[in-house]
């Protein structure tokens, strides 16, 4: 199956700083990537849909100025949490649809755990 | 009503038991149905993939989709302690649409 790589897998930062998370499709091109957030013992909640070369589409309640998404190439999407606060501490996971996969199948990264002190 | 409903559990079974996990949904546009397994602090891992209705078997795992009832199931036979994880159902409409997840069911298989 297709591989999606996320980096960093784990980050701790001070309140007020910004953190960038990268999501790469390693062996396929992804015109669309999806960013999810998962709080402890809860399911994955879609934050935004990232389209290569255009602006991301954010879900209701997700602040686009706080969670900056850039999808500059067919293999890389980034999520930047700006001016992070403790309530932003969560598990962030990206996914992408691979051209080599079955219709509808999404491949997930390993996730990035953010802790804001 | 949420798009996808899944009992969060927790569900605890003895080793060797048959486990049944279920989800219901309301969006008739969903065509792709998946089950993911997620271990603590890890990303979801695809277990089963089904397009439209029907059954699919892979080793100890069987997935069933009943579109007329908007109901999907995952059965795990001869459950093992290593099956202890959270199981998430997920489904998707055709096109560039995101996966919609259930809440996930936490399963513990006791040796």
């Amino acid at each position: 199956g297709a591989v999606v790589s996320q980096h960093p897998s784990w980050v701790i930062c001070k309140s007020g700083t910004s953190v960038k998370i990268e999501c790469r499709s390693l062996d396929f091109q992804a015109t669309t990537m999806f960013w999810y957030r998962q709080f402890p013992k809860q399911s994955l909640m879609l934050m935004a849909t990232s389209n290569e070369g255009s602006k991301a589409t954010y879900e209701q309640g997700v602040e686009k100025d706080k969670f900056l998404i850039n999808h500059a190439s067919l293999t890389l999407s980034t999520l930047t949490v700006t001016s992070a606060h403790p309530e932003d501490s969560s598990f962030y996971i990206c996914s992408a649809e691979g051209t080599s996969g079955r219709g509808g199948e999404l491949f997930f990264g390993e996730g990035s755990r953010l802790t804001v002190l | 009503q949420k798009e996808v409903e899944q009992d969060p559990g927790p569900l605890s079974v003895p080793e060797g038991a048959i486990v049944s996990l279920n989800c219901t949904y309301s969006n008739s546009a969903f065509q792709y149905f998946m089950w993911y397994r997620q271990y603590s602090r890890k990303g979801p891992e695809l277990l089963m993939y089904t397009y439209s209705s029907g059954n699919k078997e892979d080793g100890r795992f069987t997935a069933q989709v009943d579109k007329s009832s908007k109901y999907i199931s995952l059965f795990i036979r001869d459950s093992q302690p290593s099956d202890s994880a959270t199981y998430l159902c997920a489904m998707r409409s055709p096109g560039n649409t995101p996966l919609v997840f259930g809440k996930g069911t936490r399963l513990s298989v006791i040796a």
Side-chain angles (χ1 to χ4, degrees), chain A residues 26-89:
Chain A
L26 294 187
D27 52 358
F28 66 100
Q29 294 184 332
T31 55
T32 302
M33 291 186 177
F34 303 98
W35 285 95
Y36 291 84
R37 178 169 53 185
Q38 186 178 35
F39 291 107
K41 299 185 179 181
Q42 295 191 23
S43 190
L44 285 79
M45 298 301 296
L46 179 68
M47 296 176 67
T49 301
S50 166
N51 298 295
E52 188 267 337
S54 63
K55 290 183 179 180
T57 303
Y58 291 82
E59 294 300 297
Q60 191 173 9
V62 178
E63 298 175 59
K64 62 180 181 180
D65 294 330
K66 181 167 188 60
F67 298 99
L68 301 178
I69 291 174
N70 184 283
H71 194 157
S73 77
L74 288 171
T75 59
L76 174 64
S77 176
T78 60
L79 168 68
T80 301
V81 183
T82 62
S83 187
H85 287 93
E87 59 266 30
D88 298 323
S89 299

Short mmCIF file of all heavy atoms in Angstrom, two decimals, chain A residues 26-89:
data_model
loop_
_atom_site.label_atom_id
_atom_site.label_comp_id
_atom_site.label_asym_id
_atom_site.label_seq_id
_atom_site.Cartn_x
_atom_site.Cartn_y
_atom_site.Cartn_z
N LEU A 26 4.89 9.29 0.17
CA LEU A 26 6.24 8.87 -0.19
C LEU A 26 6.34 8.22 -1.57
O LEU A 26 7.35 8.33 -2.24
CB LEU A 26 6.79 7.91 0.86
CG LEU A 26 7.02 8.52 2.24
CD1 LEU A 26 7.71 7.53 3.15
CD2 LEU A 26 7.81 9.82 2.16
N ASP A 27 5.32 7.50 -1.99
CA ASP A 27 5.45 6.78 -3.25
C ASP A 27 4.25 7.01 -4.17
O ASP A 27 3.97 6.21 -5.05
CB ASP A 27 5.64 5.28 -2.98
CG ASP A 27 4.58 4.73 -2.06
OD1 ASP A 27 3.73 5.51 -1.61
OD2 ASP A 27 4.59 3.53 -1.78
N PHE A 28 3.56 8.11 -3.94
CA PHE A 28 2.44 8.44 -4.81
C PHE A 28 2.18 9.93 -4.72
O PHE A 28 2.67 10.61 -3.82
CB PHE A 28 1.19 7.64 -4.43
CG PHE A 28 0.62 8.01 -3.07
CD1 PHE A 28 -0.47 8.86 -2.95
CD2 PHE A 28 1.17 7.47 -1.91
CE1 PHE A 28 -0.99 9.18 -1.70
CE2 PHE A 28 0.65 7.78 -0.66
CZ PHE A 28 -0.44 8.65 -0.56
N GLN A 29 1.40 10.43 -5.65
CA GLN A 29 1.05 11.84 -5.65
C GLN A 29 -0.35 12.02 -5.09
O GLN A 29 -1.25 11.25 -5.41
CB GLN A 29 1.13 12.41 -7.07
CG GLN A 29 2.55 12.42 -7.63
CD GLN A 29 2.61 13.07 -9.00
OE1 GLN A 29 1.64 13.04 -9.75
NE2 GLN A 29 3.75 13.65 -9.34
N ALA A 30 -0.51 13.00 -4.27
CA ALA A 30 -1.79 13.22 -3.59
C ALA A 30 -2.27 14.64 -3.87
O ALA A 30 -1.72 15.60 -3.33
CB ALA A 30 -1.65 12.99 -2.09
N THR A 31 -3.29 14.77 -4.71
CA THR A 31 -3.82 16.11 -4.96
C THR A 31 -4.63 16.60 -3.77
O THR A 31 -4.78 17.80 -3.58
CB THR A 31 -4.73 16.11 -6.20
OG1 THR A 31 -5.76 15.12 -6.03
CG2 THR A 31 -3.94 15.79 -7.47
N THR A 32 -5.12 15.68 -2.98
CA THR A 32 -5.91 16.05 -1.81
C THR A 32 -5.41 15.31 -0.58
O THR A 32 -5.18 14.11 -0.62
CB THR A 32 -7.40 15.71 -2.03
OG1 THR A 32 -7.88 16.39 -3.20
CG2 THR A 32 -8.23 16.14 -0.83
N MET A 33 -5.23 16.05 0.48
CA MET A 33 -4.89 15.46 1.77
C MET A 33 -5.88 15.98 2.80
O MET A 33 -6.41 17.09 2.66
CB MET A 33 -3.46 15.82 2.19
CG MET A 33 -2.38 15.15 1.33
SD MET A 33 -0.73 15.50 1.99
CE MET A 33 0.28 14.53 0.87
N PHE A 34 -6.12 15.17 3.79
CA PHE A 34 -7.06 15.53 4.85
C PHE A 34 -6.32 15.59 6.19
O PHE A 34 -5.50 14.73 6.48
CB PHE A 34 -8.19 14.49 4.94
CG PHE A 34 -8.95 14.32 3.65
CD1 PHE A 34 -8.65 13.26 2.80
CD2 PHE A 34 -9.95 15.20 3.30
CE1 PHE A 34 -9.34 13.09 1.61
CE2 PHE A 34 -10.65 15.03 2.11
CZ PHE A 34 -10.35 13.99 1.26
N TRP A 35 -6.66 16.60 6.98
CA TRP A 35 -6.07 16.72 8.31
C TRP A 35 -7.13 16.45 9.35
O TRP A 35 -8.21 17.05 9.33
CB TRP A 35 -5.48 18.13 8.50
CG TRP A 35 -4.20 18.33 7.76
CD1 TRP A 35 -4.03 18.88 6.52
CD2 TRP A 35 -2.89 17.98 8.21
NE1 TRP A 35 -2.71 18.88 6.17
CE2 TRP A 35 -1.98 18.34 7.19
CE3 TRP A 35 -2.39 17.40 9.37
CZ2 TRP A 35 -0.60 18.13 7.30
CZ3 TRP A 35 -1.02 17.19 9.49
CH2 TRP A 35 -0.14 17.57 8.46
N TYR A 36 -6.78 15.56 10.29
CA TYR A 36 -7.68 15.21 11.37
C TYR A 36 -7.02 15.55 12.70
O TYR A 36 -5.80 15.60 12.82
CB TYR A 36 -7.99 13.70 11.36
CG TYR A 36 -8.83 13.22 10.19
CD1 TYR A 36 -8.26 12.91 8.96
CD2 TYR A 36 -10.21 13.07 10.33
CE1 TYR A 36 -9.03 12.46 7.91
CE2 TYR A 36 -10.99 12.61 9.28
CZ TYR A 36 -10.38 12.31 8.07
OH TYR A 36 -11.16 11.86 7.03
N ARG A 37 -7.87 15.71 13.71
CA ARG A 37 -7.38 15.91 15.07
C ARG A 37 -8.09 14.90 15.95
O ARG A 37 -9.28 14.62 15.75
CB ARG A 37 -7.69 17.34 15.53
CG ARG A 37 -7.27 17.66 16.96
CD ARG A 37 -7.37 19.14 17.24
NE ARG A 37 -8.66 19.70 16.93
CZ ARG A 37 -8.96 20.99 17.01
NH1 ARG A 37 -8.04 21.85 17.38
NH2 ARG A 37 -10.15 21.42 16.72
N GLN A 38 -7.37 14.37 16.91
CA GLN A 38 -7.96 13.38 17.79
C GLN A 38 -7.56 13.68 19.23
O GLN A 38 -6.38 13.70 19.58
CB GLN A 38 -7.48 11.97 17.41
CG GLN A 38 -8.15 10.86 18.19
CD GLN A 38 -7.69 9.48 17.75
OE1 GLN A 38 -6.54 9.29 17.40
NE2 GLN A 38 -8.60 8.52 17.76
N PHE A 39 -8.58 13.92 20.07
CA PHE A 39 -8.35 14.11 21.49
C PHE A 39 -8.39 12.75 22.17
O PHE A 39 -8.95 11.79 21.62
CB PHE A 39 -9.38 15.07 22.07
CG PHE A 39 -9.21 16.49 21.59
CD1 PHE A 39 -10.09 17.04 20.68
CD2 PHE A 39 -8.15 17.27 22.02
CE1 PHE A 39 -9.94 18.34 20.22
CE2 PHE A 39 -7.97 18.56 21.56
CZ PHE A 39 -8.87 19.10 20.66
N PRO A 40 -7.81 12.66 23.39
CA PRO A 40 -7.73 11.36 24.07
C PRO A 40 -9.08 10.66 24.17
O PRO A 40 -10.09 11.28 24.53
CB PRO A 40 -7.18 11.72 25.45
CG PRO A 40 -6.37 12.94 25.21
CD PRO A 40 -7.12 13.71 24.15
N LYS A 41 -9.10 9.41 23.80
CA LYS A 41 -10.28 8.55 23.89
C LYS A 41 -11.43 9.06 23.04
O LYS A 41 -12.60 8.74 23.32
CB LYS A 41 -10.71 8.37 25.35
CG LYS A 41 -9.64 7.71 26.21
CD LYS A 41 -10.13 7.43 27.60
CE LYS A 41 -9.02 6.76 28.41
NZ LYS A 41 -9.46 6.44 29.79
N GLN A 42 -11.14 9.82 22.03
CA GLN A 42 -12.17 10.28 21.12
C GLN A 42 -11.81 9.91 19.68
O GLN A 42 -10.69 9.49 19.41
CB GLN A 42 -12.37 11.80 21.24
CG GLN A 42 -12.90 12.22 22.59
CD GLN A 42 -13.34 13.65 22.61
OE1 GLN A 42 -13.65 14.24 21.58
NE2 GLN A 42 -13.39 14.23 23.79
N SER A 43 -12.78 10.07 18.80
CA SER A 43 -12.55 9.67 17.42
C SER A 43 -11.82 10.77 16.66
O SER A 43 -11.53 11.84 17.18
CB SER A 43 -13.87 9.36 16.75
OG SER A 43 -13.64 8.76 15.49
N LEU A 44 -11.51 10.47 15.41
CA LEU A 44 -10.83 11.44 14.57
C LEU A 44 -11.85 12.45 14.04
O LEU A 44 -12.89 12.08 13.50
CB LEU A 44 -10.16 10.75 13.37
CG LEU A 44 -8.88 9.97 13.66
CD1 LEU A 44 -9.18 8.62 14.27
CD2 LEU A 44 -8.07 9.80 12.39
N MET A 45 -11.52 13.72 14.20
CA MET A 45 -12.39 14.78 13.72
C MET A 45 -11.70 15.51 12.58
O MET A 45 -10.57 15.97 12.72
CB MET A 45 -12.71 15.75 14.85
CG MET A 45 -13.45 15.12 16.02
SD MET A 45 -15.03 14.39 15.53
CE MET A 45 -15.90 15.85 15.01
N LEU A 46 -12.39 15.62 11.47
CA LEU A 46 -11.82 16.29 10.32
C LEU A 46 -11.65 17.77 10.61
O LEU A 46 -12.58 18.43 11.06
CB LEU A 46 -12.71 16.10 9.10
CG LEU A 46 -12.24 16.77 7.81
CD1 LEU A 46 -10.97 16.08 7.29
CD2 LEU A 46 -13.33 16.71 6.75
N MET A 47 -10.44 18.29 10.34
CA MET A 47 -10.19 19.71 10.52
C MET A 47 -10.31 20.45 9.18
O MET A 47 -10.93 21.50 9.10
CB MET A 47 -8.77 19.93 11.05
CG MET A 47 -8.51 19.37 12.41
SD MET A 47 -6.80 19.59 12.88
CE MET A 47 -6.72 21.38 13.02
N ALA A 48 -9.65 19.89 8.16
CA ALA A 48 -9.60 20.61 6.89
C ALA A 48 -9.22 19.66 5.77
O ALA A 48 -8.62 18.61 5.99
CB ALA A 48 -8.61 21.76 6.96
N THR A 49 -9.60 20.06 4.58
CA THR A 49 -9.23 19.35 3.36
C THR A 49 -8.22 20.22 2.63
O THR A 49 -8.48 21.40 2.35
CB THR A 49 -10.46 19.11 2.48
OG1 THR A 49 -11.41 18.35 3.23
CG2 THR A 49 -10.08 18.37 1.21
N SER A 50 -7.08 19.63 2.33
CA SER A 50 -5.98 20.36 1.73
C SER A 50 -5.86 19.98 0.26
O SER A 50 -5.69 18.82 -0.08
CB SER A 50 -4.69 19.99 2.48
OG SER A 50 -3.54 20.39 1.78
N ASN A 51 -5.97 20.97 -0.62
CA ASN A 51 -5.88 20.73 -2.05
C ASN A 51 -4.61 21.35 -2.62
O ASN A 51 -4.32 22.52 -2.36
CB ASN A 51 -7.10 21.31 -2.77
CG ASN A 51 -8.38 20.67 -2.30
OD1 ASN A 51 -8.61 19.48 -2.51
ND2 ASN A 51 -9.23 21.45 -1.65
N GLU A 52 -3.89 20.59 -3.40
CA GLU A 52 -2.64 21.07 -3.99
C GLU A 52 -2.87 22.29 -4.85
O GLU A 52 -3.75 22.29 -5.73
CB GLU A 52 -1.98 19.95 -4.80
CG GLU A 52 -0.60 20.28 -5.30
CD GLU A 52 -0.60 20.87 -6.70
OE1 GLU A 52 -1.57 20.63 -7.44
OE2 GLU A 52 0.37 21.57 -7.05
N GLY A 53 -2.15 23.35 -4.55
CA GLY A 53 -2.20 24.56 -5.36
C GLY A 53 -3.37 25.48 -5.08
O GLY A 53 -3.54 26.50 -5.77
N SER A 54 -4.19 25.17 -4.10
CA SER A 54 -5.31 26.07 -3.78
C SER A 54 -5.50 26.13 -2.27
O SER A 54 -4.84 25.43 -1.51
CB SER A 54 -6.59 25.58 -4.46
OG SER A 54 -6.96 24.32 -3.97
N LYS A 55 -6.42 26.99 -1.86
CA LYS A 55 -6.65 27.16 -0.43
C LYS A 55 -7.34 25.94 0.17
O LYS A 55 -8.17 25.31 -0.48
CB LYS A 55 -7.51 28.40 -0.20
CG LYS A 55 -6.80 29.72 -0.49
CD LYS A 55 -7.70 30.90 -0.15
CE LYS A 55 -6.99 32.22 -0.41
NZ LYS A 55 -7.84 33.39 -0.10
N ALA A 56 -7.02 25.69 1.42
CA ALA A 56 -7.64 24.56 2.11
C ALA A 56 -9.09 24.90 2.47
O ALA A 56 -9.47 26.07 2.59
CB ALA A 56 -6.86 24.24 3.38
N THR A 57 -9.87 23.87 2.60
CA THR A 57 -11.26 24.01 3.03
C THR A 57 -11.36 23.56 4.47
O THR A 57 -11.05 22.40 4.78
CB THR A 57 -12.19 23.15 2.15
OG1 THR A 57 -12.02 23.52 0.78
CG2 THR A 57 -13.64 23.35 2.56
N TYR A 58 -11.80 24.46 5.35
CA TYR A 58 -11.84 24.16 6.77
C TYR A 58 -13.23 23.74 7.20
O TYR A 58 -14.24 24.26 6.71
CB TYR A 58 -11.40 25.39 7.57
CG TYR A 58 -9.93 25.70 7.41
CD1 TYR A 58 -9.46 26.41 6.30
CD2 TYR A 58 -9.00 25.28 8.36
CE1 TYR A 58 -8.12 26.68 6.15
CE2 TYR A 58 -7.65 25.55 8.22
CZ TYR A 58 -7.22 26.25 7.10
OH TYR A 58 -5.88 26.51 6.95
N GLU A 59 -13.28 22.85 8.17
CA GLU A 59 -14.55 22.44 8.76
C GLU A 59 -15.05 23.53 9.70
O GLU A 59 -14.28 24.36 10.20
CB GLU A 59 -14.40 21.12 9.51
CG GLU A 59 -14.07 19.95 8.61
CD GLU A 59 -15.12 19.70 7.56
OE1 GLU A 59 -16.27 19.39 7.93
OE2 GLU A 59 -14.80 19.80 6.35
N GLN A 60 -16.33 23.51 9.92
CA GLN A 60 -16.95 24.50 10.80
C GLN A 60 -16.32 24.41 12.19
O GLN A 60 -16.16 23.33 12.75
CB GLN A 60 -18.46 24.24 10.89
CG GLN A 60 -19.23 25.35 11.55
CD GLN A 60 -20.72 25.11 11.47
OE1 GLN A 60 -21.19 24.04 11.07
NE2 GLN A 60 -21.51 26.10 11.84
N GLY A 61 -15.97 25.57 12.72
CA GLY A 61 -15.40 25.62 14.06
C GLY A 61 -13.89 25.56 14.09
O GLY A 61 -13.29 25.72 15.16
N VAL A 62 -13.25 25.32 12.96
CA VAL A 62 -11.79 25.27 12.90
C VAL A 62 -11.27 26.61 12.39
O VAL A 62 -11.66 27.06 11.31
CB VAL A 62 -11.31 24.13 11.98
CG1 VAL A 62 -9.78 24.13 11.89
CG2 VAL A 62 -11.82 22.79 12.47
N GLU A 63 -10.43 27.26 13.17
CA GLU A 63 -9.94 28.60 12.81
C GLU A 63 -8.85 28.50 11.75
O GLU A 63 -7.76 27.99 12.01
CB GLU A 63 -9.37 29.28 14.05
CG GLU A 63 -10.38 29.50 15.17
CD GLU A 63 -9.69 30.06 16.40
OE1 GLU A 63 -9.09 31.14 16.28
OE2 GLU A 63 -9.73 29.42 17.47
N LYS A 64 -9.12 29.04 10.60
CA LYS A 64 -8.14 28.93 9.50
C LYS A 64 -6.90 29.77 9.76
O LYS A 64 -5.82 29.46 9.25
CB LYS A 64 -8.79 29.33 8.18
CG LYS A 64 -9.27 30.76 8.13
CD LYS A 64 -9.88 31.04 6.76
CE LYS A 64 -10.34 32.48 6.67
NZ LYS A 64 -10.95 32.78 5.35
N ASP A 65 -7.02 30.84 10.55
CA ASP A 65 -5.84 31.66 10.83
C ASP A 65 -4.96 31.03 11.90
O ASP A 65 -3.81 31.41 12.08
CB ASP A 65 -6.27 33.06 11.28
CG ASP A 65 -6.96 33.81 10.17
OD1 ASP A 65 -6.63 33.55 8.99
OD2 ASP A 65 -7.83 34.65 10.46
N LYS A 66 -5.51 30.10 12.64
CA LYS A 66 -4.75 29.43 13.68
C LYS A 66 -4.09 28.16 13.14
O LYS A 66 -2.98 27.82 13.50
CB LYS A 66 -5.65 29.07 14.85
CG LYS A 66 -4.90 28.40 15.98
CD LYS A 66 -5.74 28.33 17.23
CE LYS A 66 -4.90 27.83 18.39
NZ LYS A 66 -3.75 28.69 18.67
N PHE A 67 -4.80 27.48 12.29
CA PHE A 67 -4.29 26.23 11.72
C PHE A 67 -4.05 26.47 10.22
O PHE A 67 -4.94 26.30 9.38
CB PHE A 67 -5.29 25.10 11.93
CG PHE A 67 -5.56 24.80 13.38
CD1 PHE A 67 -6.70 25.29 14.00
CD2 PHE A 67 -4.68 24.02 14.10
CE1 PHE A 67 -6.94 25.01 15.35
CE2 PHE A 67 -4.91 23.73 15.44
CZ PHE A 67 -6.04 24.23 16.07
N LEU A 68 -2.82 26.88 9.93
CA LEU A 68 -2.46 27.22 8.56
C LEU A 68 -2.08 25.96 7.79
O LEU A 68 -1.22 25.21 8.22
CB LEU A 68 -1.30 28.22 8.54
CG LEU A 68 -1.55 29.55 9.25
CD1 LEU A 68 -0.30 30.41 9.18
CD2 LEU A 68 -2.73 30.28 8.63
N ILE A 69 -2.70 25.78 6.65
CA ILE A 69 -2.42 24.61 5.84
C ILE A 69 -1.88 25.05 4.50
O ILE A 69 -2.45 25.91 3.84
CB ILE A 69 -3.69 23.74 5.67
CG1 ILE A 69 -4.06 23.11 7.00
CG2 ILE A 69 -3.47 22.68 4.60
CD1 ILE A 69 -5.36 22.35 7.00
N ASN A 70 -0.78 24.42 4.11
CA ASN A 70 -0.14 24.70 2.83
C ASN A 70 0.09 23.39 2.09
O ASN A 70 0.62 22.44 2.64
CB ASN A 70 1.19 25.42 3.06
CG ASN A 70 1.83 25.81 1.74
OD1 ASN A 70 2.40 24.98 1.03
ND2 ASN A 70 1.72 27.08 1.40
N HIS A 71 -0.35 23.33 0.86
CA HIS A 71 -0.21 22.10 0.06
C HIS A 71 0.46 22.51 -1.25
O HIS A 71 -0.17 22.59 -2.29
CB HIS A 71 -1.60 21.51 -0.18
CG HIS A 71 -1.57 20.10 -0.68
ND1 HIS A 71 -2.65 19.26 -0.51
CD2 HIS A 71 -0.65 19.39 -1.34
CE1 HIS A 71 -2.38 18.09 -1.06
NE2 HIS A 71 -1.18 18.15 -1.56
N ALA A 72 1.75 22.77 -1.15
CA ALA A 72 2.48 23.39 -2.26
C ALA A 72 2.88 22.41 -3.34
O ALA A 72 3.18 22.81 -4.46
CB ALA A 72 3.72 24.10 -1.72
N SER A 73 2.90 21.13 -3.01
CA SER A 73 3.29 20.15 -4.03
C SER A 73 2.39 18.92 -3.92
O SER A 73 1.62 18.80 -2.97
CB SER A 73 4.75 19.74 -3.85
OG SER A 73 4.89 18.83 -2.79
N LEU A 74 2.52 18.02 -4.87
CA LEU A 74 1.67 16.83 -4.89
C LEU A 74 2.08 15.79 -3.86
O LEU A 74 1.42 14.76 -3.74
CB LEU A 74 1.68 16.21 -6.29
CG LEU A 74 0.91 17.00 -7.35
CD1 LEU A 74 1.16 16.41 -8.72
CD2 LEU A 74 -0.58 17.00 -7.05
N THR A 75 3.17 16.04 -3.15
CA THR A 75 3.62 15.06 -2.16
C THR A 75 3.78 15.65 -0.77
O THR A 75 4.19 14.95 0.16
CB THR A 75 4.98 14.44 -2.58
OG1 THR A 75 5.95 15.50 -2.71
CG2 THR A 75 4.85 13.69 -3.90
N LEU A 76 3.44 16.91 -0.59
CA LEU A 76 3.68 17.53 0.72
C LEU A 76 2.56 18.49 1.09
O LEU A 76 2.20 19.39 0.32
CB LEU A 76 5.01 18.29 0.73
CG LEU A 76 5.32 19.11 1.99
CD1 LEU A 76 5.47 18.20 3.20
CD2 LEU A 76 6.58 19.95 1.79
N SER A 77 2.02 18.29 2.29
CA SER A 77 1.10 19.24 2.88
C SER A 77 1.61 19.54 4.29
O SER A 77 2.12 18.64 4.97
CB SER A 77 -0.31 18.66 2.95
OG SER A 77 -1.20 19.55 3.61
N THR A 78 1.50 20.78 4.71
CA THR A 78 1.94 21.15 6.05
C THR A 78 0.81 21.80 6.82
O THR A 78 -0.03 22.51 6.27
CB THR A 78 3.14 22.11 6.02
OG1 THR A 78 2.75 23.31 5.33
CG2 THR A 78 4.33 21.49 5.31
N LEU A 79 0.80 21.52 8.12
CA LEU A 79 -0.14 22.13 9.05
C LEU A 79 0.68 22.90 10.07
O LEU A 79 1.55 22.32 10.73
CB LEU A 79 -0.98 21.06 9.76
CG LEU A 79 -1.80 21.51 10.96
CD1 LEU A 79 -2.93 22.44 10.53
CD2 LEU A 79 -2.39 20.30 11.70
N THR A 80 0.44 24.21 10.17
CA THR A 80 1.13 25.02 11.16
C THR A 80 0.13 25.49 12.20
O THR A 80 -0.85 26.15 11.86
CB THR A 80 1.81 26.24 10.51
OG1 THR A 80 2.75 25.79 9.52
CG2 THR A 80 2.55 27.07 11.55
N VAL A 81 0.40 25.13 13.44
CA VAL A 81 -0.41 25.59 14.56
C VAL A 81 0.24 26.88 15.05
O VAL A 81 1.35 26.87 15.59
CB VAL A 81 -0.47 24.55 15.69
CG1 VAL A 81 -1.39 25.03 16.80
CG2 VAL A 81 -0.94 23.20 15.14
N THR A 82 -0.43 28.00 14.83
CA THR A 82 0.16 29.29 15.19
C THR A 82 -0.26 29.69 16.60
O THR A 82 -1.38 29.41 17.04
CB THR A 82 -0.27 30.38 14.20
OG1 THR A 82 -1.69 30.51 14.27
CG2 THR A 82 0.12 30.02 12.78
N SER A 83 0.66 30.35 17.30
CA SER A 83 0.40 30.82 18.66
C SER A 83 -0.32 29.72 19.47
O SER A 83 -1.45 29.90 19.94
CB SER A 83 -0.46 32.09 18.63
OG SER A 83 -0.59 32.63 19.92
N ALA A 84 0.37 28.60 19.57
CA ALA A 84 -0.25 27.43 20.20
C ALA A 84 -0.54 27.67 21.68
O ALA A 84 0.21 28.37 22.38
CB ALA A 84 0.67 26.23 20.04
N HIS A 85 -1.63 27.09 22.14
CA HIS A 85 -2.02 27.16 23.54
C HIS A 85 -2.27 25.74 24.04
O HIS A 85 -2.47 24.81 23.24
CB HIS A 85 -3.27 28.03 23.70
CG HIS A 85 -2.98 29.49 23.52
ND1 HIS A 85 -3.13 30.11 22.30
CD2 HIS A 85 -2.53 30.43 24.39
CE1 HIS A 85 -2.79 31.38 22.43
NE2 HIS A 85 -2.42 31.60 23.68
N PRO A 86 -2.28 25.56 25.35
CA PRO A 86 -2.46 24.20 25.89
C PRO A 86 -3.67 23.46 25.34
O PRO A 86 -3.62 22.24 25.15
CB PRO A 86 -2.57 24.44 27.40
CG PRO A 86 -1.72 25.65 27.63
CD PRO A 86 -1.96 26.53 26.42
N GLU A 87 -4.75 24.18 25.04
CA GLU A 87 -5.95 23.51 24.51
C GLU A 87 -5.75 22.97 23.10
O GLU A 87 -6.60 22.22 22.59
CB GLU A 87 -7.16 24.45 24.55
CG GLU A 87 -7.00 25.73 23.78
CD GLU A 87 -6.52 26.88 24.65
OE1 GLU A 87 -5.79 26.64 25.65
OE2 GLU A 87 -6.86 28.04 24.32
N ASP A 88 -4.64 23.37 22.45
CA ASP A 88 -4.32 22.83 21.12
C ASP A 88 -3.59 21.50 21.21
O ASP A 88 -3.34 20.85 20.18
CB ASP A 88 -3.46 23.82 20.32
CG ASP A 88 -4.17 25.14 20.09
OD1 ASP A 88 -5.40 25.12 19.87
OD2 ASP A 88 -3.50 26.19 20.14
N SER A 89 -3.23 21.11 22.41
CA SER A 89 -2.54 19.82 22.60
C SER A 89 -3.46 18.71 22.13
O SER A 89 -4.60 18.58 22.57
CB SER A 89 -2.20 19.62 24.07
OG SER A 89 -1.33 20.63 24.54
#
